[in-house]
Amino acid sequence: MEYQAYFQQNREEHLKELGELLAIPSISALSEHKGDVLKAAEWIADSLRRAGMENVEIHPTDGHPVVYAEHLHAPGKPTVLVYGHYDVQPVDPLHLWETPPFEPSIRDGKLYARGATDDKGQVFMHIKAAEAILKQEKELPVNLKFCIEGEEEVTSPNLPGFLESHQDKLAADVILISDTALLAPGKPAICVGLRGLCALEVSVFTANTDLHSGTFGGGVPNALHALVSLLDSLHDEKGRVAVEGFYKGVPELTAMEREEFAKLQFDEDKLKKDLGLSSLYGEEGYSFVERTGARPTLEINGMYGGFQGEGTKTVLPKEAHAKITCRLVGDQDPQDVIDKIEAHLHAHLQPGATLEVKATEKARAFTIDPADPMLQKAADAYERIYGTRALFTKDGGSIPIVETLSRVLSAPSVMMGFGLPDENLHAPNEHFNLENFDKGLLTIVEYLKSL
């Protein structure tokens, strides 16, 4: 295979270039890294130019910039828009990293660095796949565009506006995204569903000051007691969310969908062992993959208040706080879910306490019919390289911009991921298995040529 030889010959140089990108601490959530995020955008733009892409532009936004590029010399052929992101998550806790997060290193066939799998490594593969085709064949088999943003890790606040105002520039027949994972080594997957998201911060207040628990305990409300009671009311004893109307818009799983989930042959016992758990937990009547791929959730992500130092402090805290996120499916409306949770919280608040609720993130769920020809061709491309046809899966996570991209540009989103579930994305020691770097390059070339 000519491309296999090409990528093997250039592998060392490609990994060196990728290492340069990974060394840039482009953490979009931290304002002190604003200059680094811009530096990463400039690096992506330069890489696209070197690859042979044209009209490369860095578009400023109210936050971090969007990088655009195109190569439109295939009249009558489909137009592919590659979407990805060059920003990364914060690196805390730093002491758990075996090697510094922005000093890329290769160990046991894995490339370690923040952003290695999410999403710099996967974006880089698309640039190099396009470069390879142009160097080998002097032309691309499709019209190709790139839209690479710097705010995905902070829920893409400025990209929807950019999409709306640049619809003609970004128009495409298919949106190609690599920001997901294979099921397991050698088992490719194409995600046809992502859960939506909404997030809230809840604060409970009681007295106007912390109080001595001996003098006041048992006679006045305790903010932590009130918060715990409130959070406990959010689920019933069978793991269902107890908020009235929460399940509005949630489709019941069809027999065919349950059959597809069963094909994944997910080993729940192995998961329990790997996580050191005696049992799993969740909504009664559903398997683990059904709960995490196709059912909505309400999770408490953090709670705090009162004395947390060493030793004992006999105090009744005047305030307590919690962070809640929900994963949404089907036609659940994020704002409607937030409104219903807030109403539930007010209705179940203990006497003597007051409540504040602040909504933060909101995103709708995304689904696509796996019968779409663009997805079928992607599954075929995986089969030709991996020897196994990709399964169509639903991912429990959220990539909020995917639904927006598909809706605004009226094009199917094909999520061809090359990561693995255990690559520590968002965690210390993030890494990318280089076997999938090698096979991913070939798969992307195969897919573009098949269109």
Side-chain angles (χ1 to χ4, degrees), residues 217-240:
V220 299
N222 179 320
L224 275 172
H225 290 188
L227 179 65
V228 169
S229 173
L230 203 54
L231 298 179
D232 185 55
S233 74
L234 292 169
H235 293 86
D236 67 17
E237 66 280 1
K238 294 184 178 180
R240 278 180 65 86

Side-chain angles (χ1 to χ4, degrees), residues 79 95 114 192 198 260 264 280 362 393:
T79 297
H95 71 278
R114 173 59 89 226
V192 295
C198 67
E260 286 297 311
L264 301 179
L280 301 179
K362 288 180 283 187
T393 64

Side-chain angles (χ1 to χ4, degrees), residues 28-42:
S28 54
L30 303 178
S31 58
E32 61 262 35
H33 286 286
K34 187 174 179 65
D36 294 314
V37 180
L38 176 59
K39 183 179 179 182
E42 292 169 341

Side-chain angles (χ1 to χ4, degrees), residues 182-190 263-265 375-393 416-418 435-436 439 443 446:
L182 282 71
L183 284 173
K187 295 183 177 180
I190 297 172
K263 286 180 183 177
L264 301 179
Q265 298 181 323
L375 275 79
Q376 290 296 320
K377 285 182 178 291
D380 293 340
Y382 274 116
E383 184 173 20
R384 285 192 285 273
I385 302 303
Y386 280 83
T388 302
R389 198 166 193 271
L391 289 175
F392 295 104
T393 64
M416 296 183 71
F418 298 99
E435 177 187 4
N436 291 319
K439 288 184 176 180
T443 305
E446 191 70 31

